[in-house]
C-alpha cells in the first residue's frame, strides 16, 4: 500500500492558474444533509478525495441512492426516517469528519449501526463527541467507554442540551447540531473560539432556522431539511499548499480561482499578509452560501510572526505548511495554543518538527505548538508522511525549494484530500 515517491524539482518556479478541488468539509456535509433530507439534492464541485468517498459509501449502506458523475453528485433520499439498518459495518476510512458527524447523525435514528475506520481513526479521541451525545440520551458503546472505534450506536430518542464547548472543534459542534436536529427542544452550543461554521451555513441552505449570536448557537429540534443544490467552493486548505509554494519558490506567480474564503477558515490569508507575502484576494461572490475568491500569490521576502489565540481554529489544518513557510521567513515564528494538532490524522506537532528537522530546518516542538527560527536553506532527505495527507503535501512543497531530492515514504495518502495534487504541481512547473 505504501508507495515511496522521489521528488527532484531543482528549484524551478511555479507559474499559472489552477482550480483547487472542492472543499472537504463542505463536500462531506453536502452528502450528509442530502441524505437526511427527503428528495433530490444535487452537488457541484464535490471533492473526489478518499475521505469524501468514505462518506458516500456509508450512506449507500444506509440505503441512500448516490450517483457520482465527475465532480457532480446526486443524492436521492427518502429521508432519514426511511434509512435501512445496514448489514455491514460503516467504514469511515481515514476520515475524522465522517466518523464524528455520523456519530451525531446516527444517534437520533432508530437504527443499530457500527462505525469503524483505519488505524489512524482507531487512535483518535471520540469521547469529545460521544460524551455530549450521551448527555442528549445517545446510546454509544466502544473501546475505552466510547473513546475509540469501533463504535456501536443504538439509535434512540434524544433531548436537546445546553453545551459549552471544551475545545474549539467543528466536528464536535456539528455532531451535536446534527443530533439536535432530531432532539426534542432547543439545542444550545456555546463556543469560546469560533470553529468553522459550514454546518450552520448548510443548515440554513437546507431550509432550517438556526440562530448564531456572539458565540452562542441555538437550534430547535424536529426541523425538516429541504433537498437543494449545493455549490462546493475550492478548498482553502488545499490551496494553502500552493499559497506557501508561491510565496517561497523563487520567481513564482500562482493564481487560484473559486477558493472558499469563509472567514472561519481563512486564517492562512491573514498569516501570509502578516508575514509580508505578495498576495491579492479578490472576492468573487460574497453573497453565496460560502464566499469565494480568486487568490494570486507571488514570491516575496518573508518575516516571522507569532500565531496564537483565536486564529488557531481558523487555520488548524494549515499549520504543517505554515511551519514550512516559517522556515523561509526572517526571524523567529512562534505557533502556540495549537495542542489540537496532536489529535489529527497523526500527531502533527511531532511529525512536522521531525520531518522539517531532517531537512535542516531550525525548528523545535513545544507542548502546544512549535518555534521556528528562519530563514534556513533546506536540503533533501527521506521523509515520512505518517499516512497523513497534509504532512505528505508539506514534504512535497519542501521538495520544491530543497537543494537535493526528497523522497516521501507514503505519498499515496495525499489522495485523502487532494488526489490531483501532483498533477497541479506539474502543470505549474510547465510554465516556468
Ligand atoms: C473539520 C474540522 C476540523 C478539521 C478537519 C475537518 C470539519 O477538525 O481539522 O480537517 O470538517 O468539521 P476539528 O473540528 O476536530 O478541529
Amino acid at each position: 500500500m505504501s508507495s515511496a515517491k522521489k521528488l527532484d524539482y531543482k528549484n524551478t518556479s511555479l507559474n499559472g492558474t489552477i482550480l483547487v478541488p472542492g472543499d472537504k468539509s463542505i463536500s462531506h456535509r453536502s452528502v450528509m444533509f442530502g441524505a437526511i433530507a427527503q428528495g433530490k439534492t444535487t452537488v457541484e464541485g464535490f471533492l473526489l478525495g478518499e475521505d469524501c468517498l468514505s462518506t458516500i459509501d456509508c450512506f449507500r449502506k444506509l440505503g441512500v441512492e448516490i450517483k457520482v458523475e465527475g465532480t457532480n453528485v446526486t443524492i436521492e433520499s427518502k429521508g432519514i426516517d426511511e434509512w435501512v439498518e445496514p448489514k455491514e459495518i460503516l467504514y469511515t476510512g481515514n476520515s475524522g469528519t465522517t466518523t464524528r458527524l455520523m456519530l451525531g447523525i446516527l444517534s437520533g435514528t432508530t437504527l443499530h449501526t457500527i462505525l469503524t475506520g483505519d488505524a489512524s481513526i482507531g487512535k483518535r479521541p471520540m469521547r469529545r463527541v460521544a460524551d455530549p451525545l450521551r448527555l442528549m440520551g445517545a446510546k454509544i458503546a466502544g473501546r475505552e467507554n466510547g473513546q475509540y472505534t469501533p463504535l456501536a450506536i443504538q439509535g434512540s430518542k434524544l433531548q436537546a442540551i445546553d453545551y459549552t464547548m471544551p475545545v474549539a472543534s467543528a466536528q464536535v459542534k456539528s455532531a451535536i447540531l446534527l443530533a439536535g436536529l432530531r432532539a426534542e427542544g432547543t439545542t444550545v452550543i456555546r463556543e469560546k473560539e469560533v470553529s468553522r461554521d459550514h454546518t450552520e451555513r448548510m443548515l440554513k441552505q437546507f431550509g432550517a432556522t438556526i440562530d448564531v449570536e456572539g458565540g452562542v448557537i441555538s437550534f430547535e429540534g424536529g426541523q425538516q431539511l429541504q433537498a437543494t443544490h449545493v455549490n462546493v467552493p475550492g478548498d482553502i486548505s488545499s490551496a494553502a499548499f500552493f499559497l506557501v509554494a508561491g510565496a517561497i519558490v523563487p520567481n513564482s506567480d500562482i493564481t487560484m480561482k473559486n477558493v472558499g474564503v469563509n472567514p472561519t477558515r481563512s486564517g492562512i490569508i491573514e498569516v501570509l499578509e502578516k508575514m509580508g507575502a505578495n498576495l491579492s484576494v479578490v472576492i468573487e461572490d460574497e453573497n453565496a452560501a460560502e464566499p469565494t475568491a480568486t487568490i494570486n500569490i507571488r514570491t516575496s521576502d518573508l518575516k516571522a510572526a507569532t500565531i496564537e489565540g483565536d486564529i488557531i481554529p481558523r487555520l488548524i489544518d494549515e499549520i504543517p505548511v505554515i511551519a514550512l513557510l516559517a522556515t523561509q521567513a526572517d526571524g523567529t515564528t512562534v505557533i502556540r495554543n495549537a495542542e489540537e494538532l496532536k489529535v489529527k490524522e497523526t500527531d502533527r506537532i511531532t511529525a512536522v518538527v521531525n520531518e522539517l528537522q531532517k531537512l535542516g530546518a531550525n525548528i523545535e516542538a513545544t507542548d502546544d505548538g512549535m518555534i521556528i527560527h528562519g530563514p534556513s536553506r533546506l536540503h533533501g532527505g527521506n521523509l515520512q508522511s505518517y499516512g497523513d495527507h497534509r504532512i505528505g503535501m508539506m514534504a512535497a512543497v519542501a521538495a520544491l525549494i530543497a537543494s537535493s531530492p526528497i523522497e516521501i515514504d507514503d505519498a499515496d495518502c495525499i489522495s485523502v484530500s487532494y488526489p490531483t495534487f501532483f498533477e497541479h504541481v506539474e502543470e505549474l512547473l510547465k510554465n516556468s
Side-chain angles (χ1 to χ4, degrees):
M1 161 103 190
S2 118
S3 62
K5 193 167 173 88
K6 190 168 178 180
L7 302 172
D8 186 5
Y9 290 128
K10 302 218 170 51
N11 231 348
T12 32
S13 62
L14 297 170
N15 290 276
T17 302
I18 53 167
L19 268 177
V20 295
D23 186 279
K24 181 157 77 73
S25 294
I26 299 170
S27 295
H28 281 302
R29 286 162 173 80
S30 67
V31 170
M32 293 172 178
F33 284 57
I36 293 169
Q38 193 180 352
K40 184 167 162 181
T41 289
T42 47
V43 185
E44 207 180 314
F46 187 83
L47 169 65
L48 297 166
E50 277 166 26
D51 269 12
C52 300
L53 297 177
S54 294
T55 295
I56 289 183
D57 188 53
C58 289
F59 282 101
R60 282 186 174 147
K61 287 186 177 138
L62 287 159
V64 179
E65 236 182 81
I66 303 174
K67 278 197 209 101
V68 181
E69 284 165 330
T71 58
N72 291 328
V73 175
T74 308
I75 303 125
E76 288 218 66
S77 178
K78 295 192 182 101
I80 186 167
D81 290 311
E82 301 300 322
W83 292 353
V84 297
E85 200 160 50
K87 291 190 195 86
E88 293 162 80
I89 288 171
L90 303 179
Y91 184 68
T92 60
N94 190 244
S95 176
T97 306
T98 313
T99 314
R100 296 201 175 108
L101 271 59
M102 293 294 293
L103 203 52
I105 297 171
L106 293 165
S107 291
T109 65
T110 53
L111 312 173
H112 175 262
T113 46
I114 297 174
L115 287 174
T116 200
D118 69 6
S120 156
I121 281 295
K123 290 188 221 149
R124 298 183 68 183
M126 296 296 158
R127 280 198 50 187
R128 53 175 55 203
V129 182
D131 284 351
L133 292 176
R134 283 166 170 162
L135 292 175
M136 300 176 84
K139 294 187 179 130
I140 297 163
R143 280 187 298 137
E144 295 190 27
N145 193 19
Q147 179 69 316
Y148 300 113
T149 56
L151 296 166
I153 305 130
Q154 178 56 60
S156 57
K157 280 217 170 328
L158 302 178
Q159 297 294 324
I161 50 168
D162 184 327
Y163 193 69
T164 301
M165 297 280 295
V167 282
S169 164
Q171 293 181 352
V172 175
K173 172 175 68 175
S174 302
I176 299 170
L177 285 173
L178 289 164
L181 186 64
R182 308 282 294 169
E184 204 180 359
T186 303
T187 295
V188 178
I189 300 178
R190 299 169 197 274
E191 281 193 297
K192 284 174 239 153
E193 284 163 347
V194 176
S195 61
R196 63 189 67 190
D197 67 354
H198 305 302
T199 297
E200 295 89 310
R201 285 172 186 254
M202 204 178 281
L203 279 169
K204 285 187 194 154
Q205 234 187 315
F206 277 75
T209 304
I210 178 163
D211 187 60
V212 185
E213 227 186 289
V216 183
I217 304 166
S218 308
F219 182 48
E220 203 177 315
Q223 301 187 54
Q224 299 295 318
L225 299 187
Q226 306 301 321
T228 189
H229 179 74
V230 179
N231 216 331
V232 182
D235 197 327
I236 193 166
S237 299
S238 297
F241 295 96
F242 290 105
L243 288 173
V244 169
I248 65 177
V249 178
N251 305 315
S252 294
D253 182 345
I254 303 175
T255 300
M256 287 175 272
K257 292 184 173 165
N258 191 38
V259 180
V261 286
N262 177 325
T264 62
R265 291 284 299 284
S266 58
I268 184 157
I269 292 173
E270 288 158 50
V271 166
L272 282 162
E273 281 167 350
K274 201 165 142 187
M275 292 176 79
N278 186 352
L279 169 95
S280 90
V281 179
V282 179
I283 300 292
E284 292 163 359
D285 189 354
E286 206 160 10
N287 300 320
E290 292 281 352
T292 55
T294 296
I295 308 182
N296 172 263
I297 185 128
R298 296 172 197 196
T299 322
S300 64
D301 289 336
L302 298 162
K303 53 180 191 288
T306 297
I307 304 164
E308 63 184 347
D310 58 14
I311 199 170
I312 295 293
R314 301 196 293 117
L315 49 67
I316 190 74
D317 291 341
E318 289 66 78
I319 291 178
V321 79
I322 289 174
L324 172 65
L325 177 76
T327 67
Q328 303 308 301
D330 192 19
T332 300
T333 293
V334 180
I335 301 173
R336 50 170 90 93
N337 311 125
E339 50 278 277
E340 275 296 297
L341 290 174
K342 294 180 185 167
V343 292
K344 295 296 177 189
E345 284 81 335
T346 188
D347 174 348
R348 286 185 176 159
I349 295 181
T350 306
V352 166
V353 170
N354 282 353
E355 300 318 291
L356 291 179
Q357 274 177 353
K358 284 185 195 164
L359 303 180
N362 188 344
I363 178 168
E364 62 199 89
T366 62
D367 278 352
D368 65 348
M370 46 196 101
I371 300 172
I372 305 127
H373 307 280
S376 45
R377 181 119 173 82
L378 302 185
H379 52 73
N382 292 330
L383 298 191
Q384 251 182 282
S385 69
Y386 303 78
D388 182 331
H389 53 130
R390 300 205 197 278
I391 303 297
M393 285 186 276
M394 176 200 75
V397 176
L400 291 161
I401 55 163
S403 57
S404 47
I406 286 183
E407 188 161 311
I408 310 173
D409 70 331
D410 168 17
D412 281 355
C413 62
I414 290 173
S415 57
V416 154
S417 65
Y418 202 159
T420 52
F421 175 77
F422 286 110
E423 284 161 45
H424 285 173
V425 172
E426 293 302 327
E427 214 172 298
L428 293 169
L429 284 173
K430 255 196 269 166
N431 305 321
S432 65

